Amino acid sequence: KLLKESFPTTDDSNKFPENKFNDIVSSIESLNDIDDISDEIKQLVNGVDSELSDFFNMHGISNMALLDKETNSSFNNDPFKSKREKLINIDKLSWRSEEKEKPFIPIGTKNVFLKYTTSEIKQMEIWGWQDREDYYNHIKSSLKKYLPTSGANNG
């Protein structure tokens, strides 16, 4: 349920494979036994998985924040909540500890994990669709004053 609620609600079928997702949910809910899973449902699952990977664009700007290589590697593929807790703990370190120097965390990265760019925070446990959209729009509006408009002469 949480997974489904984190998806945007839209009528734009090109933007989100919600119809296929709903088909799979309905098909799975109607199953009485795991052996009942048909090849058709397996194909639906594979299709939605592929479309969700494209849709969420895991390597797109709306899912990126700047961290040094070591810190980024330590986050692995942890859930957002875990990454957020790690980032806060790193931020609480003194600049010079006995073990090593504290990694630099850019303010924009802190803002992402504290959800300062999210217009209306509904949950802190995941980096959801609205968080991504708001972050992407924040980036665009921040860069707008520095980048030429389409009508500007760049020559």
Side-chain angles (χ1 to χ4, degrees):
K1 185 178 176 183
L2 178 62
L3 178 64
K4 190 173 179 181
E5 288 173 356
S6 69
F7 293 148
T9 53
T10 179
D11 293 330
D12 184 359
S13 60
N14 293 327
K15 194 170 184 185
F16 183 69
E18 187 174 14
N19 291 341
K20 289 185 182 180
F21 181 81
N22 289 334
D23 290 345
I24 289 175
V25 170
S26 298
S27 298
I28 290 173
E29 287 173 346
S30 69
L31 295 176
N32 294 326
D33 190 315
I34 195 70
D35 295 330
D36 289 343
I37 297 178
S38 68
D39 287 338
E40 181 181 347
I41 292 174
K42 289 176 186 174
Q43 287 176 346
L44 277 171
V45 169
N46 289 335
V48 168
D49 182 55
S50 174
E51 288 187 43
L52 288 176
S53 293
D54 292 343
F55 176 75
F56 282 114
N57 191 5
M58 298 306 288
H59 302 292
I61 191 80
S62 66
N63 196 41
M64 290 191 177
L66 294 174
L67 292 168
D68 64 282
K69 183 179 179 180
E70 185 178 328
T71 304
N72 190 50
S73 294
S74 75
F75 282 20
N76 295 316
N77 289 324
D78 292 354
F80 176 80
K81 182 178 179 180
S82 174
K83 291 178 182 180
R84 182 178 184 274
E85 289 169 1
K86 287 179 181 181
L87 184 114
I88 290 170
N89 288 331
I90 291 168
D91 198 42
K92 288 180 182 178
L93 295 173
S94 65
W95 274 102
R96 293 197 186 271
S97 68
E98 296 296 320
E99 295 178 26
K100 60 182 180 178
E101 288 191 18
K102 173 182 171 177
F104 173 70
I105 302 171
I107 190 68
T109 299
K110 289 180 190 181
N111 289 345
V112 164
F113 283 95
L114 297 173
K115 294 197 174 192
Y116 285 164
T117 59
T118 301
S119 59
E120 183 181 344
I121 299 173
K122 296 182 181 175
Q123 41 65 29
M124 289 298 290
E125 293 78 27
I126 62 172
W127 183 248
W129 172 253
Q130 192 61 54
D131 301 310
R132 286 171 178 248
E133 284 287 306
D134 290 346
Y135 178 49
Y136 182 72
N137 289 332
H138 176 75
I139 291 169
K140 285 191 329 187
S141 68
S142 296
L143 292 176
K144 193 174 193 172
K145 57 186 162 195
Y146 300 105
L147 298 175
T149 61
S150 60
N153 184 352
N154 295 328

